[in-house]
Amino acid sequence: MTPADLSFLARFLKERSGLIIGEDKRYLVDSRLGPVARKAGIASIGELIGKLMRGGDTALAQSVVEAMTTNESFFFRDGTPFTQFTDVVLPQLIAARAIQRKIRIWCAACSTGQEPYSLAMLLEQKAALLAGWTVEIVATDLASDVLERARNGLFTQFEVQRGLPVRMLVEHFTQEGDQWRISPKLRNRVQFRTLNLLRDFSPMGAFDVVFCRNVLIYFDEATKGDVVRRIAKQMPADGYLVLGAAETVMGATAPVRSHPNHRGLFMRTDAPAPAAARPALGTGAAHGATLATPPATSLQSKIAAFRR
Amino acid sequence: MKHCLVVDDSSVIRKVARRILEGFDLKISEAENGQSALALCKQAMPDGILLDWNMPVMDGYEFLVELRSLPGGDAPKVVFCTTENDVSYITRALRAGADEYVMKPFDKDIIGSKFAEVGLL
Ligand SMILES: C[S@@+](CC[C@H](N)C(=O)[O-])C[C@H]1O[C@@H](n2cnc3c(N)ncnc32)[C@H](O)[C@@H]1O
């Protein structure tokens, strides 16, 4: 692989998936694309890149893009976002959507499905509270190979032991040899679709909660900003964006800002102040205002009831 | 520093487990079967127990049942760590009062994730 090959590949990947690779990622290119070349009967990575330059082979191009993605995921990854989902996000949304009784959740880079299935398990725990509600989980990824695995819902013994409490394993999975399959009930709670975050996703409609974790880290600042901006447009003013553990959105013009009380949760910059931070309405508050905005106490008591 | 008892008849597994758990800042003691583990627990209840199933003299399951009937025996968090990977074993262990379950082979990430789950880390 010549320097020219590598710089072509870098441009190709940035354009197709947003992935940024530097000169230091040469070893990664070798180890990821070696198998792709072999499978396609191509003698070397240099030759493989030559084929990409000439264009025309869309299947090969897609395999290269997919091979370069990092798909690692595990159930309840990092813990906190999932606790926040049950303790903060869900109670607020249940209070705020009491009329529509509908919540839409999007996992924007779901890989092999652990993230949406973790959410599905949490929703299952709250099934009694959510009776009569429609809760949609849409899970998307660029790579069709990982989506196929996600749809299959079959996980290795290693995968089900990282982050998944054993009681949930026993409750929601059945053993198939030394692998474990997610129950049809949870499987059917999640809709898996192919989607490239670089492309227009506005037709998917609005989402109350967006999990976009451990994917933006592979993009450059401009791409990351653009994706976050377009995600924010799909969120209602009181929607939540959940980023990966070490991910932030910087800048005065950022479309989202960190939740004042919950690190890792983001809300639209123009979102109303979260209920807990809202000043309590005194007895002197105008009646109209009380009607328009339910007093914090009623929202809070609903939330407290939910947590119980 | 929390104290964890590693119960396994294989000295190799005990050594591997000890190294992993010491890496998590836990103080470790070892027992090679359920009976000697029980004797140690009667002296001082550990905070956590990493427990093999199949062992001579007294197996892990019997040990767990005995442990849970001792005064203060409901306190230690018990994490099974065994090649008995069938779901029927897992449910039996949970019913007998196990807190978590590791199916061998294991690694540092799995042990860490399970110990965090039960509040030992
Ligand atoms: C490390 S995984 C993250 C999985 C999960 N969100 C988590 O945090 O565990 C990153 C995923 O992002 C996907 N991905 C990379 N670029 C993408 C793009 N442009 N559009 C959509 N998905 C993309 C990859 O295919 C990969 O499955």
Side-chain angles (χ1 to χ4, degrees), chain A residues 17 70-73 77 109 115 141 195-197 213-214:
Chain A
S17 70
T70 297
N71 307 119
E72 188 183 51
S73 187
R77 182 176 198 168
E115 192 177 84
D141 200 283
L195 179 96
N196 187 341
L197 288 170
R213 304 167 68 223
N214 305 301

Side-chain angles (χ1 to χ4, degrees), chain A residues 157-158 160-167 169-170 173 175 180, chain B residues 85 87 91 98-100 102-104 107 109-110 113-114 117:
Chain A
Q157 185 172 296
F158 183 72
V160 297
Q161 297 205 84
R162 282 178 85 186
L164 183 64
V166 71
R167 282 188 178 77
L169 174 68
V170 170
F173 292 75
Q175 204 166 17
W180 295 79
Chain B
N85 293 349
V87 65
T91 39
D99 296 285
E100 259 300 343
V102 173
M103 299 176 263
K104 284 177 184 164
D107 65 5
D109 286 347
I110 290 176
S113 149
K114 296 296 185 184
E117 185 60 40

